[in-house]
Amino acid sequence: MPELQQKIEQCRQQRENIHQQLQQIDFIHQKWLHDLSERTTLRNAQQHATQYLTELQQHVNDREKNYNDAKQQRVQLQSILQQQRLLHTENVEKLREHRVDGQACMVCGSHQHPYRQAESTLSKTLFQLQQQQEQDAIQQEQHDLEHLQKLKADRHQTEFELQQAQSQEKQLQQRINQSTVELTAQFK
């Protein structure tokens, strides 16, 4: 009888060991499944981030082109306005040279030539118009630059987040590999 009791005790101990091993295997298996699921989710997020990054880069390229175009247009406008200012000044000077006392003014038709007052008003109006055009061009260029800078900041943030996700994926892969080794060791 003591032998039977001893065998029963051994069986009970073996059963307890097997039960503990099964619990350990189940725990490792659950951890492994969780890590696999997390890795899949992370890979999907990386795929979306990569796609967004590609789209964002296209927007950056477009915005850089818009900014460069606006800058070039502003420079051209400034050149044209400067030429207009010079032409205006030259034309007024030529008209003054050809002015004849007693004859009607070629600009205003007056016999008394009140060119100074009319010229001053015309010059001021022309100058104000030119300043407004120049200011509009500068504002457009500034707007394009601000938008470009925002897009570049978004791109930088997305690149950073993608790098973090890749690092997390590596860590998950290491945990999955470790769980696989542990599960394999349990069945030996």
Side-chain angles (χ1 to χ4, degrees):
M1 200 57 138
E3 261 180 58
L4 186 59
Q5 285 245 246
Q6 192 176 21
K7 285 198 177 214
I8 291 174
E9 184 59 32
Q10 284 177 346
C11 284
R12 192 183 66 71
Q13 189 65 32
Q14 284 178 345
R15 187 186 72 172
E16 188 64 34
N17 288 342
I18 290 173
H19 180 69
Q20 286 178 355
Q21 284 179 336
L22 285 175
Q23 284 180 332
Q24 204 171 22
I25 289 171
D26 186 50
F27 175 77
I28 294 169
H29 182 251
Q30 291 301 320
K31 186 173 76 167
W32 184 74
L33 288 175
H34 177 266
D35 289 347
L36 281 177
S37 175
E38 194 173 333
R39 185 184 68 180
T40 300
T41 302
L42 199 54
R43 282 185 176 172
N44 287 338
Q46 286 176 348
Q47 186 178 14
H48 286 39
T50 301
Q51 183 179 359
Y52 177 68
L53 198 55
T54 301
E55 292 170 6
L56 199 54
Q57 184 59 48
Q58 184 60 44
H59 289 306
V60 167
N61 292 344
D62 292 345
R63 217 12 103 168
E64 280 180 335
K65 183 182 179 316
N66 289 350
Y67 170 71
N68 289 331
D69 289 348
K71 188 174 183 177
Q72 184 179 4
Q73 288 172 358
R74 180 189 50 81
V75 169
Q76 288 174 345
L77 176 65
Q78 286 175 326
S79 175
I80 290 169
L81 293 176
Q82 182 62 30
Q83 289 173 1
Q84 285 178 346
R85 288 180 192 122
L86 289 173
L87 285 174
H88 173 72
T89 303
E90 288 173 7
N91 286 340
V92 168
E93 291 301 318
K94 284 183 183 178
L95 288 173
R96 282 186 187 162
E97 288 175 13
H98 293 93
R99 190 182 71 175
V100 178
D101 286 334
Q103 291 184 357
C105 176
M106 294 187 290
V107 176
C108 66
S110 173
H111 288 281
Q112 292 155 357
H113 303 288
Y115 65 88
R116 287 190 177 142
Q117 184 181 11
E119 176 190 334
S120 175
T121 303
L122 177 63
S123 293
K124 284 181 184 177
T125 303
L126 180 60
F127 182 72
Q128 288 172 346
L129 177 62
Q130 291 171 341
Q131 277 187 319
Q132 184 60 46
Q133 289 175 325
E134 204 170 337
Q135 188 63 32
D136 290 347
I138 289 170
Q139 285 176 349
Q140 180 62 44
E141 181 182 345
Q142 184 64 32
H143 172 74
D144 288 343
L145 178 61
E146 289 169 1
H147 196 179
L148 175 61
Q149 289 171 337
K150 183 188 178 310
L151 286 172
K152 284 183 175 182
D154 288 349
R155 180 186 65 191
H156 178 71
Q157 179 63 30
T158 303
E159 287 171 342
F160 176 73
E161 289 170 1
L162 185 58
Q163 287 174 348
Q164 283 184 321
Q166 289 169 342
S167 176
Q168 283 179 315
E169 182 185 5
K170 285 179 184 177
Q171 291 173 352
L172 279 171
Q173 187 60 49
Q174 289 173 348
R175 287 186 355 213
I176 290 169
N177 292 344
Q178 180 62 33
S179 294
T180 303
V181 167
E182 290 174 12
L183 280 173
T184 304
Q186 290 293 325
F187 288 110
K188 287 186 176 183

